[in-house]
Amino acid sequence: MVLAIVRQATGLMQAPPAQVLVGLGLFLTLFIMAPVFDRMYSDGVKPYLDDQMSLEVAIERASLPLHEFMLAQTREKDLTMFSEIAKKGPYQTPADVPFTVLIPAFVTSELKTAFTIGFLIFIPFLIIDLVVASVLMSMGMMMLSPLIVSMPFKLMLFVLVDGWSMIMGTLASSYYI
């Protein structure tokens, strides 16, 4: 979501292409989730493959790191809302929250975070568009599109602040691993 909003904010509808954004999102997901996947493998999958536990126990143990990760990223308000909708809870401990409640609460929390980050990224680009449009109007250049003039300024700003590194770093550090 954040990467798509960045593309929209810069005004470059075709650059970077959707495949690049999906690739960045996938690699960032793998980077963030690597410790969780490692724990899932060592706690559940490997012992099961080594015939040290049954499938049911392996699934339970392998799902625990994912449950903990999702619970740490989920807002209490979203968790409460989906618990009330499902008519489940209150839960004695966080470990009692079922995935059927946790997953939609997690997704809702992540969407809210993505839109918040996207909004904060969009503001500087919007200000550049407004300033360029105001200057062009005051100069009487009504036939010249402000987008054409503001594009180099937005790209220059994005490059000067090292926008991709800043965005990817902020997204990665926003997760409590």
Side-chain angles (χ1 to χ4, degrees):
M1 290 298 298
V2 173
L3 300 176
I5 291 172
V6 167
R7 182 171 65 177
Q8 181 75 27
T10 58
L12 299 170
M13 296 306 130
Q14 308 302 321
Q19 295 90 337
V20 172
L21 295 182
V22 169
L24 285 172
L26 179 64
F27 291 131
L28 189 59
T29 299
L30 291 174
F31 174 77
I32 291 166
M33 295 301 294
V36 176
F37 292 153
D38 289 343
R39 235 181 99 206
M40 290 172 71
Y41 179 78
S42 65
D43 292 355
V45 176
K46 185 167 179 10
Y48 173 72
L49 293 175
D50 293 340
D51 289 326
Q52 296 174 350
M53 65 179 65
S54 68
L55 179 62
E56 293 81 19
V57 174
I59 290 172
E60 184 178 322
R61 288 195 183 164
S63 67
L64 185 61
L66 183 62
H67 191 275
E68 290 171 357
F69 173 82
M70 291 173 71
L71 197 57
Q73 308 306 318
T74 304
R75 290 178 172 82
E76 185 74 33
K77 181 180 176 184
D78 295 328
L79 202 53
T80 303
M81 178 184 68
F82 282 101
S83 294
E84 290 172 358
I85 291 170
K87 296 182 180 17
K88 295 185 179 180
Y91 305 105
Q92 298 297 324
T93 65
D96 295 338
V97 178
F99 274 109
T100 56
V101 172
L102 182 58
I103 291 172
F106 172 76
V107 170
T108 303
S109 292
E110 290 302 298
L111 283 172
K112 181 176 182 179
T113 301
F115 277 102
T116 302
I117 293 170
F119 172 76
L120 294 173
I121 291 170
F122 213 99
I123 290 174
F125 295 112
L126 181 63
I127 291 171
I128 290 173
D129 282 337
L130 289 173
V131 168
V132 167
S134 296
V135 168
L136 289 176
M137 290 296 276
S138 68
M139 294 173 62
M141 298 182 169
M142 289 165 219
M143 297 304 288
L144 182 60
S145 172
L147 294 177
I148 293 172
V149 177
S150 68
M151 181 70 63
F153 292 108
K154 292 192 282 189
L155 291 176
M156 183 176 61
L157 171 68
F158 197 69
V159 169
L160 288 176
V161 299
D162 198 14
W164 287 114
S165 294
M166 190 183 325
I167 288 168
M168 298 298 277
T170 302
L171 287 174
S173 65
S174 70
Y175 289 92
Y176 324 119
I177 300 174

